[in-house]
Amino acid sequence: MPPADPVPAFHAHDHAQCSDSMLARAEALAAERGVRLTPVRRRVLELLLEQHRALGAYEVLDRLAAEGFGRQPPVAYRALDFLVEQGLAHRVARLNAFAACMHPGEPHAPVFLICRSCNAVAEAGGDSLRRALEVEAATQGFAVERSSIEALGQCSACRGAAA
Amino acid sequence: MPPADPVPAFHAHDHAQCSDSMLARAEALAAERGVRLTPVRRRVLELLLEQHRALGAYEVLDRLAAEGFGRQPPVAYRALDFLVEQGLAHRVARLNAFAACMHPGEPHAPVFLICRSCNAVAEAGGDSLRRALEVEAATQGFAVERSSIEALGQCSACRGAAA
DNA sequence: CTTGACACGTTACGTTATTACATACATCTC
DNA sequence: GAGATGTATGTAATAACGTAACGTGTCAAG
């Protein structure tokens, strides 16, 4: 269970360590669910974790092709779809891109904070937001199944740099 | 100023009347701001209002072409961009589509409730959500500039029909 | 009547995503 | 192990979405 502190994307942290720990959790979840974290799928997740930002499908595809995997779009899209289905990654519609999930295994409504300067994508916890959304939807008799909240703005580092 | 009751998309209501009233408000806003609600732009807004759902750019374009307007993508995109800039329509990233705004002139973070059965798109008020989002973002030092909240699920009518 | 700003239209192109089908690989059964 | 079955990977081709660049028309201001 992750600590309740702020998600790391906009904070100094050890990428290698957070990647490793997320990968380990992904392996565990896959085993638990009886699905296969194959080499392509695993490599795509690694790429998303390494970069720590949202990557376009074709960006992922280029990396895969360079590493000897297939070079046609479905190769990337299938791996990305798998990760999204398994809750190991999220789609960031606003950017036509994908980012690793920082809370795999926990049900949550992703809240993306997208820095327009450095393109980093932080994923906020957002349980209060999820509840607020469900309340709002309920007043219209609407049953929420999946939701995503995307905010465009500037992270603290870039605001500091701009000032 | 719109009443504080639920937005009409998932309720029985007089489409013609709500379209007319939104169009009138659009005209007023355009005049107030010194921008031009030209025939193409106005027609696109009418289309969005008539359908009362999110329309893809090419869907809009087909209608325009059939009615004697231009038949190239920029014709539709420019009109849609204009409407979005003026706050008369919103982009629904999840669907690569556009929907008329039901609260033109009021600053607000759009909250879309997208029915996966009938494709209707309701726009909830969401001021409490906007505030919750800003609080959440602030804990990470992130300054929100624009945001959108999109929920996929089923509206009350379709849930009734399914049951 | 000219000028300048804006809107509209077109061609051409770039990016993102899917369909359809063939091949390889793992797993289970015998 | 050999064969059957389901899943994953790979390919080619194309659809869907979006933008850049440029020319023409319109209209109000000077």
Side-chain angles (χ1 to χ4, degrees):
Chain A
M1 181 109 18
D5 64 13
V7 159
F10 295 148
H11 299 269
H13 68 291
D14 184 337
H15 277 304
Q17 186 198 309
C18 85
S19 291
D20 286 354
S21 111
M22 287 298 157
L23 267 175
R25 282 168 63 186
E27 303 265 24
L29 279 170
E32 195 177 297
R33 293 173 186 165
V35 298
R36 289 160 52 195
L37 192 59
T38 61
V40 203
R41 293 168 175 176
R42 189 192 157 96
R43 186 63 191 125
V44 170
L45 180 55
E46 281 175 13
L47 288 170
L48 296 180
L49 286 166
E50 276 168 20
Q51 299 289 129
H52 222 314
R53 66 188 175 89
L55 295 178
Y58 280 70
E59 219 169 337
V60 168
L61 183 57
D62 285 347
R63 298 290 306 263
L64 291 179
E67 295 175 13
F69 293 98
R71 48 186 62 257
Q72 302 303 323
V75 172
Y77 281 104
R78 282 196 288 235
L80 289 165
D81 288 348
F82 169 85
L83 295 174
V84 169
E85 265 163 34
Q86 296 300 321
L88 300 171
H90 294 294
R91 172 152 228 240
V92 187
R94 181 150 213 151
L95 304 176
N96 291 329
F98 300 81
C101 175
M102 293 296 133
H103 306 279
E106 306 159 51
H108 64 291
V111 177
F112 298 111
L113 306 177
I114 305 162
C115 180
R116 63 173 163 74
S117 300
C118 67
N119 274 319
V121 174
E123 186 186 346
D127 203 51
S128 66
L129 269 167
R130 189 178 54 72
R131 275 195 295 273
L133 175 57
E134 270 164 15
V135 167
E136 185 75 33
T139 68
Q140 303 203 26
F142 187 89
V144 175
E145 290 165 2
R146 305 183 75 91
S147 66
S148 74
I149 302 177
E150 303 183 6
L152 197 66
Q154 224 174 4
C155 70
S156 51
C158 289
R159 272 158 78 209
Chain B
M1 182 109 13
D5 64 13
V7 158
F10 296 148
H11 298 268
H13 68 292
D14 184 335
H15 277 302
Q17 185 198 310
C18 85
S19 292
D20 286 354
S21 112
M22 287 297 157
L23 268 175
R25 282 167 64 185
E27 303 264 23
L29 280 170
E32 195 177 298
R33 294 171 184 167
V35 297
R36 289 161 52 194
L37 192 60
T38 61
V40 202
R41 293 169 175 174
R42 186 192 159 97
R43 186 65 190 124
V44 170
L45 180 55
E46 282 175 13
L47 287 170
L48 296 181
L49 287 165
E50 276 169 19
Q51 298 289 128
H52 223 313
R53 66 188 176 91
L55 295 179
Y58 280 64
E59 219 169 339
V60 168
L61 183 56
D62 285 347
R63 298 291 306 264
L64 290 179
E67 295 175 12
F69 293 99
R71 49 186 60 256
Q72 303 304 322
V75 171
Y77 281 104
R78 282 197 288 238
L80 290 165
D81 288 347
F82 169 86
L83 295 173
V84 170
E85 265 163 35
Q86 296 300 320
L88 300 171
H90 294 295
R91 171 154 225 221
V92 186
R94 183 149 213 153
L95 304 176
N96 291 330
F98 300 82
C101 175
M102 292 297 134
H103 306 279
E106 306 159 52
H108 63 291
V111 177
F112 297 111
L113 307 177
I114 305 163
C115 180
R116 63 173 162 72
S117 301
C118 67
N119 275 317
V121 174
E123 185 186 348
D127 202 51
S128 66
L129 269 167
R130 190 177 55 71
R131 275 195 295 273
L133 174 57
E134 271 163 15
V135 167
E136 185 77 31
T139 69
Q140 304 203 26
F142 188 89
V144 175
E145 291 164 2
R146 304 183 74 90
S147 66
S148 74
I149 302 176
E150 303 182 4
L152 196 66
Q154 225 174 4
C155 72
S156 51
C158 289
R159 273 158 78 209

